[in-house]
Amino acid sequence: MTYKILLWALLTLSLFSSCRKDDFSYANEFDRSFDKWQTFKKSSNNSYKYTLTGYSWIASSWQTTLTVKEGKVVARDFYYKIYEGILRPESGWSTTEVDQILKNRKTTKEDFFKETGIDFLETLQWIEKSGELGTKPTHYSSASPLYTLDDIYEKAKSDWLKYRENASITFKTENKGMISAVGYGMKGCMDDCFNGVWIESIEAIK
């Protein structure tokens, strides 16, 4: 009887472990990357900045740079690199590009402001510092939430790397072993299908 109970327990544990592994893609790679993150976190005193990028099928791309000091986000810098096919000048967006974008949209700055209460230029680029975090019009932009890298790793494990039927999962670690891409997209989706993040760079700060 004891032998049968032990055998049943081992079989159950084996099946449970198998299910857990199937439910969490890239488990081994994640663990190695998490170890790299813990080493970097300690050496940098959990103070760093990192840049996330993204793009859309409507010929737009953007980046968000988050600054973290001792584990807390203290600044967020966002801008579109390209907006609906129009390239951001090196000096930053100006009313010249705004006028062209709104002309292409067959609207005006005045109409946009009347509809949203926001200057259209504010949707293209902005910087938030400590004390004003979360105040910019993120619902009209593609800025990253106020994530720390701890948040990124937690969300990767609890959501983005979870098994989903008919989903393609991405996990890359090209930032010295730390995450450079993590997320999933449903197979057959055509437009803006990726749920996750692309991290262009991570660097320690003093």
Side-chain angles (χ1 to χ4, degrees), residues 62-99:
W62 54 86
Q63 75 172 47
T64 309
T65 298
L66 291 162
T67 303
V68 179
K69 288 190 176 179
E70 297 181 356
K72 294 183 179 180
V73 178
V74 296
R76 177 167 57 168
D77 182 347
F78 169 81
Y79 63 85
Y80 279 98
K81 295 187 282 186
I82 304 173
Y83 191 90
E84 296 181 0
I86 295 179
L87 184 66
R88 176 183 183 265
E90 288 188 12
S91 58
W93 293 104
S94 70
T95 55
T96 301
E97 294 80 42
V98 168
D99 289 343

Side-chain angles (χ1 to χ4, degrees):
M1 178 66 72
T2 303
Y3 173 76
K4 289 183 178 179
I5 292 173
L6 180 59
L7 184 61
W8 178 84
L10 288 172
L11 180 61
T12 302
L13 180 61
S14 175
L15 289 171
F16 177 74
S17 298
S18 177
C19 289
R20 289 293 299 274
K21 187 176 181 181
D22 288 344
D23 286 344
F24 179 32
S25 300
Y26 295 98
N28 294 334
E29 294 90 338
F30 176 89
D31 288 343
R32 287 194 293 270
S33 181
F34 185 76
D35 287 344
K36 292 287 187 181
W37 156 235
Q38 292 301 302
T39 300
F40 175 85
K41 180 179 176 179
K42 184 177 181 180
S43 67
S44 67
N45 193 32
N46 207 6
S47 298
Y48 55 90
K49 66 178 180 179
Y50 74 110
T51 297
L52 305 103
T53 60
Y55 65 92
S56 170
W57 68 277
I58 56 172
S60 296
S61 66
W62 54 86
Q63 75 172 47
T64 309
T65 298
L66 291 162
T67 303
V68 179
K69 288 190 176 179
E70 297 181 356
K72 294 183 179 180
V73 178
V74 296
R76 177 167 57 168
D77 182 347
F78 169 81
Y79 63 85
Y80 279 98
K81 295 187 282 186
I82 304 173
Y83 191 90
E84 296 181 0
I86 295 179
L87 184 66
R88 176 183 183 265
E90 288 188 12
S91 58
W93 293 104
S94 70
T95 55
T96 301
E97 294 80 42
V98 168
D99 289 343
Q100 184 60 55
I101 291 168
L102 292 173
K103 181 179 178 181
N104 293 347
R105 287 181 153 208
K106 296 181 171 55
T107 188
T108 64
K109 287 182 287 190
E110 292 74 20
D111 286 342
F112 184 83
F113 184 82
K114 188 183 299 182
E115 181 183 341
T116 66
I118 300 168
D119 184 336
F120 188 78
L121 185 58
E122 276 195 271
T123 71
L124 298 177
Q125 60 187 17
W126 43 262
I127 296 174
E128 291 176 332
K129 295 183 179 179
S130 185
E132 58 181 8
L133 292 169
T135 63
K136 295 300 181 182
T138 54
H139 51 294
Y140 289 105
S141 74
S142 300
S144 169
L146 295 165
Y147 289 148
T148 64
L149 284 177
D150 275 323
D151 295 328
I152 295 288
Y153 273 91
E154 175 57 33
K155 195 161 179 64
K157 188 172 184 178
S158 64
D159 182 10
W160 293 325
L161 292 176
K162 285 182 67 175
Y163 171 78
R164 289 175 171 83
E165 191 173 355
N166 296 321
S168 296
I169 296 175
T170 297
F171 186 68
K172 297 182 179 181
T173 57
E174 296 172 359
N175 286 312
K176 297 180 180 178
M178 293 180 287
I179 290 175
S180 57
V182 58
Y184 67 93
M186 302 309 295
K187 294 175 182 177
C189 176
M190 300 299 291
D191 302 327
D192 300 336
C193 304
F194 188 70
N195 298 280
V197 294
W198 296 87
I199 301 177
E200 185 176 85
S201 62
I202 303 170
E203 60 180 282
I205 60 173
K206 294 182 179 180

